[in-house]
């Protein structure tokens, strides 16, 4: 391919040079040298002019597809997303609606890695509906596995079973007996086994995980299969079997980690080799420019001196601007502090009135409820940044369901609410601030704020986020 690339670099037209660079990128891709593969793929993209008639959009789409695969294997979802957006844009430019949808569908794995399950659900649902609309039932069925996982996590077992049945019957990825036709499709049995465990059909689940173990070529199949069997025998109370599969799962998990570490070492080696080749090229270029070095250094010193002077002036101006802004901020903060002090006095007055009016009994009951052991523990966690255990979350939900049945029933009636959104509403009812909720859920404060904006629109048909706490507390 080096000879081919050199030949077309001298004799070929722009399109042939693009093809040669693309194929050279594929060579380095297969050799496991991702940096050089990306280098040649980018060279191929640079030689494809999308403004000219006769542009090879098919090749451009292939290049972007290969680049996206590399970033996926490198677990770099941000760059994979950017490249897939470019691939989707190429499809739009050629009126390839199917190609556009398939490029968008590939972003499911991107958002899955980023933990953005709302986006996974939206993309998978849109792709499914489009494929059904154009009669691509097998394409539609193949998009259902991400939705299956979401339904299982939501404990919506009816929808989960429906998606599993449709995937098995129509995806054309499994044969009539349910055996996988392509590598990777055997992972379907993990979700089917998961479903059977959740609905209490442990013998059926056992069969699924044993089928997963029948495909040991992928170590992750063994890891998942052993984990599933461990869970099944745990439900059955068979301690000896649990111990057996705990050991097998641990061994498989160690093997997975070892292979991932080996892959990382390979990536580092490829980056090192690429870096060394770049250094060698730089040294040769430096030798060719020795004649101009003295003049270049003189000009460079002059430019640097001018830049330093300019930077110093800009820095002084920036410091002055920051100083003026800080002074204004200080005055504003003092005013806000006085207003808050006044507001606290007013709230204390209202509280004293509330304690003495006809709602005293309700206030006392609420006070006792808020002083319960589990709520106080959550308040301590929220202030220290510690996250509660699964058992503590369950205890809190049981307390709310028992003490606030009307609120629990009303909140549970919203079918489209996700688990983390349900939790945000519950904690808001218990007077936790957004920053505290972020600490308890291990999320950023901005993500909690965004979800509160979504919830106030979805639950109360309002755009006023400031009313969210009050509206939640009125749900009884």
């Amino acid at each position: 391919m080096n000879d081919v690339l050199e030949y077309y670099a001298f004799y070929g037209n722009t399109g042939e040079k693009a093809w040669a660079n693309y194929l050279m990128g594929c060579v380095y891709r297969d050799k496991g040298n991702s940096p050089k593969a990306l280098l040649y793929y980018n060279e191929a993209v640079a030689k494809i002019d999308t403004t000219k008639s006769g542009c090879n959009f098919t090749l451009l789409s292939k290049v972007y597809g290969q680049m996206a695969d590399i970033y996926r294997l490198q677990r770099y979802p941000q760059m994979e997303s950017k490249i897939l957006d470019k691939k989707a844009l190429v499809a739009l430019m050629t009126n390839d609606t199917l190609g556009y949808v398939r490029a968008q569908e590939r972003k499911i794995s991107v958002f899955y890695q980023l933990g953005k399950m709302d986006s996974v659900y939206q993309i998978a649902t849109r792709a499914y509906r489009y494929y059904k609309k154009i009669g691509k039932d097998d394409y539609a069925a193949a998009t259902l596995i991400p939705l299956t996982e979401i339904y299982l996590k939501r404990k919506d077992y009816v929808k989960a079973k429906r998606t599993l049945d449709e995937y098995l019957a129509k995806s054309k990825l499994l044969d009539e007996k349910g055996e996988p036709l392509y590598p990777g499709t055997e992972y379907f049995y993990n979700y089917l086994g998961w479903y059977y465990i959740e609905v209490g059909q442990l013998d059926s689940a056992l069969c699924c995980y044993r089928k997963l173990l029948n495909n040991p070529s992928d170590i992750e199949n063994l890891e998942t299969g052993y984990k599933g069997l461990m869970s099944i025998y745990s439900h059955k109370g068979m301690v000896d079997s649990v111990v057996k599969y705990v050991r097998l799962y641990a061994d498989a998990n160690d093997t997975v980690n070892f292979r991932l570490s080996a892959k990382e070492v390979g990536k580092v080696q490829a980056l090192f080799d690429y870096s060394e080749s770049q250094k060698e090229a730089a040294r040769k270029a430096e030798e060719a420019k020795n004649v101009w070095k003295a003049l270049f250094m003189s000009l460079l010193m002059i430019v640097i001196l001018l830049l330093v002077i300019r930077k110093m002036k800009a820095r002084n101006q920036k410091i002055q601007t920051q100083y003026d802004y800080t002074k204004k901020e200080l005055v504003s903060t003092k005013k806000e502090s006085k207003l808050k002090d006044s507001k606290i006095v007013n709230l204390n007055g209202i509280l004293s009135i509330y304690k003495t009016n006809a709602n005293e009994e309700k206030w006392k009951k609420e006070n006792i409820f808020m002083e319960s052991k589990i709520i106080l523990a959550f308040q301590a966690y929220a202030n220290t940044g510690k996250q509660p255990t699964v058992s503590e979350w369950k205890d809190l939900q049981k307390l709310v369901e028992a003490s606030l049945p009307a609120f629990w029933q009303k909140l549970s009636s919203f079918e489209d609410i996700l688990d983390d959104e349900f939790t945000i509403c519950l904690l808001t009812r218990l007077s936790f601030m957004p920053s505290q909720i972020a600490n308890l859920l291990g999320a950023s404060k901005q993500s909690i704020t965004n979800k509160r904006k979504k919830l106030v629109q979805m639950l109360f048909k309002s755009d006023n986020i400031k009313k969210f706490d009050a509206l939640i507390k009125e749900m009884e």
Side-chain angles (χ1 to χ4, degrees):
M1 274 309 303
N2 273 319
D3 293 339
V4 172
L5 187 64
E6 289 179 4
Y7 175 84
Y8 283 115
F10 189 77
Y11 295 105
N13 58 37
T14 303
E16 290 168 336
K17 291 177 183 177
W19 263 107
N21 277 280
Y22 166 67
L23 293 174
M24 194 68 183
C26 293
V27 170
Y28 281 107
R29 173 205 64 196
D30 294 340
K31 291 176 70 175
N33 192 331
S34 299
K36 275 204 169 183
L38 290 172
L39 174 68
Y40 285 105
Y41 286 148
N42 280 313
E43 283 292 326
V45 170
K47 297 185 185 309
I48 300 174
D49 190 349
T50 58
T51 63
K52 290 185 177 180
S53 60
C55 171
N56 194 341
F57 285 105
T58 301
L59 174 60
L60 185 58
S61 181
K62 287 178 181 290
V63 176
Y64 285 141
Q66 294 294 334
M67 294 175 74
D69 283 341
I70 288 177
Y71 287 123
R72 176 176 53 80
L73 293 173
Q74 290 182 335
R75 296 190 296 281
Y76 193 172
Q78 293 84 356
M79 280 303 301
E80 183 185 358
S81 179
K82 290 181 180 179
I83 296 300
L84 287 174
D85 285 339
K86 291 181 179 181
K87 184 176 176 64
L89 182 60
V90 171
L92 287 179
M93 293 171 70
T94 56
N95 296 318
D96 181 7
T97 308
L98 178 60
Y100 174 80
V101 175
R102 298 201 71 181
Q104 292 296 324
E105 183 189 349
R106 287 181 63 177
K107 294 181 72 174
I108 289 176
S109 65
V110 172
F111 290 113
Y112 190 92
Q113 289 185 66
L114 295 173
K116 297 181 178 181
M117 299 307 292
D118 288 350
S119 298
V120 170
Y121 180 83
Q122 292 171 3
I123 293 174
T125 302
R126 283 200 298 265
Y128 174 82
R129 290 172 180 168
Y130 175 77
Y131 292 143
K132 294 291 285 186
K133 181 180 179 180
I134 64 173
K136 295 278 188 181
D137 289 346
D138 52 339
Y139 283 38
T143 66
L144 291 174
I145 288 300
L147 295 177
T148 300
E149 180 171 338
I150 291 171
Y151 291 141
L152 287 170
K153 288 181 178 179
R154 292 181 183 177
K155 301 188 182 302
D156 191 342
Y157 303 127
V158 174
K159 290 183 179 178
K161 186 60 165 63
R162 188 175 69 231
T163 57
L164 288 167
D165 289 343
E166 185 172 349
Y167 181 89
L168 179 61
K170 297 182 179 181
S171 69
K172 296 183 181 179
L173 299 175
L174 306 168
D175 63 20
E176 294 179 355
K177 297 180 180 179
E179 297 299 325
L181 295 174
Y182 307 99
T185 54
E186 65 274 0
Y187 210 71
F188 161 77
Y189 287 107
N190 173 50
Y191 295 101
L192 187 58
W194 182 359
Y195 164 78
Y196 282 132
I197 290 176
E198 293 295 329
V199 298
Q201 298 182 31
L202 299 183
D203 290 339
S204 297
L206 189 66
C207 179
C208 289
Y209 285 111
R210 290 205 179 279
K211 283 189 175 183
L212 197 59
L213 294 179
N214 290 335
N215 294 275
S217 58
D218 188 340
I219 186 64
E220 292 186 5
N221 288 342
L222 292 178
E223 181 188 24
T224 305
Y226 292 143
K227 184 179 179 182
L229 292 174
M230 180 176 66
S231 176
I232 292 169
Y233 287 119
S234 176
H235 279 79
K236 289 187 173 186
M238 300 172 66
V239 178
D240 292 343
S241 295
V242 171
V243 172
K244 171 186 175 181
Y245 286 108
V246 164
R247 291 173 180 170
L248 290 172
Y249 171 67
D251 291 342
N253 184 259
D254 289 343
T255 303
V256 170
N257 290 333
F258 176 78
R259 291 185 180 180
L260 288 175
S261 298
K263 287 181 181 180
E264 293 303 322
V265 170
K267 290 177 185 177
V268 172
Q269 182 63 46
L271 287 170
F272 176 78
D273 294 341
Y274 175 69
S275 176
E276 285 301 304
S277 66
Q278 292 294 94
K279 288 179 181 178
E280 180 64 23
R283 283 194 289 269
K284 290 181 179 179
E286 185 65 24
E287 291 174 1
K289 295 178 181 178
N290 280 337
V291 177
W292 305 96
K293 190 171 183 179
L295 177 61
F296 173 77
M297 291 301 295
S298 299
L299 293 173
L300 181 62
M301 291 300 296
I302 294 173
V303 171
I304 291 174
L305 182 60
L306 291 174
L307 289 174
V308 168
I309 294 173
R310 183 178 178 181
K311 186 174 181 180
M312 289 178 65
K313 289 182 179 180
R315 184 181 178 186
N316 290 336
Q317 181 62 39
K318 184 177 180 180
I319 292 173
Q320 183 62 44
T321 302
Q322 186 65 33
Y323 174 75
D324 294 339
Y325 173 80
T326 304
K327 284 182 66 178
K328 291 180 181 179
E329 190 71 15
L330 178 61
V331 173
S332 175
T333 303
K334 286 181 178 180
K335 289 181 180 179
E336 290 180 3
S337 178
K338 289 181 180 180
L339 289 173
K340 287 182 178 179
D341 290 339
S342 176
K343 187 175 181 180
I344 290 172
V345 173
N346 292 335
L347 289 174
N348 284 329
I350 294 171
L351 182 61
S352 63
I353 295 172
Y354 184 57
K355 289 179 179 179
T356 59
N357 68 10
N359 291 320
E360 183 178 3
E361 189 64 27
K362 180 180 178 181
W363 181 87
K364 287 181 178 178
K365 184 178 180 180
E366 177 78 7
N367 192 43
I368 293 172
F369 170 69
M370 292 299 292
E371 291 294 324
S372 62
K373 184 178 179 180
I374 186 64
I375 293 179
L376 292 176
F378 268 65
Q379 290 174 348
Y381 291 162
N383 293 329
T384 58
K386 182 180 177 183
Q387 295 178 23
T389 64
V390 174
S391 177
E392 289 171 324
W393 278 112
K394 290 182 178 178
D395 290 341
L396 181 67
Q397 292 179 356
K398 289 179 181 178
L399 176 66
V400 174
E401 186 175 4
S403 303
L404 304 171
F407 168 78
W408 182 271
Q409 184 176 3
K410 182 67 176 294
L411 186 58
S412 300
S413 67
F414 294 103
E415 295 180 354
D416 294 332
I417 192 169
L418 302 178
D419 289 346
D420 57 343
E421 295 169 348
F422 186 98
T423 303
I424 290 172
C425 294
L426 186 149
L427 293 174
T428 301
R429 171 60 184 83
L430 300 180
S431 300
F432 285 90
M433 295 183 294
S435 58
Q436 293 178 310
I437 296 174
N439 287 338
L440 290 172
L441 297 181
S444 67
K445 184 178 177 181
Q446 184 59 49
S447 70
I448 298 301
T449 300
N450 292 340
K451 289 179 180 179
R452 281 164 58 93
K453 290 179 180 178
K454 174 186 173 184
L455 285 165
V456 78
Q457 293 174 342
M458 181 175 72
L459 302 182
F460 307 110
K461 312 302 180 186
S462 172
D463 291 326
N464 192 344
I465 185 63
K466 295 181 180 179
K467 291 184 178 181
F468 180 71
D469 291 47
L471 291 170
I472 285 292
K473 293 181 179 181
E474 291 174 4
M475 287 175 59
E476 300 183 34

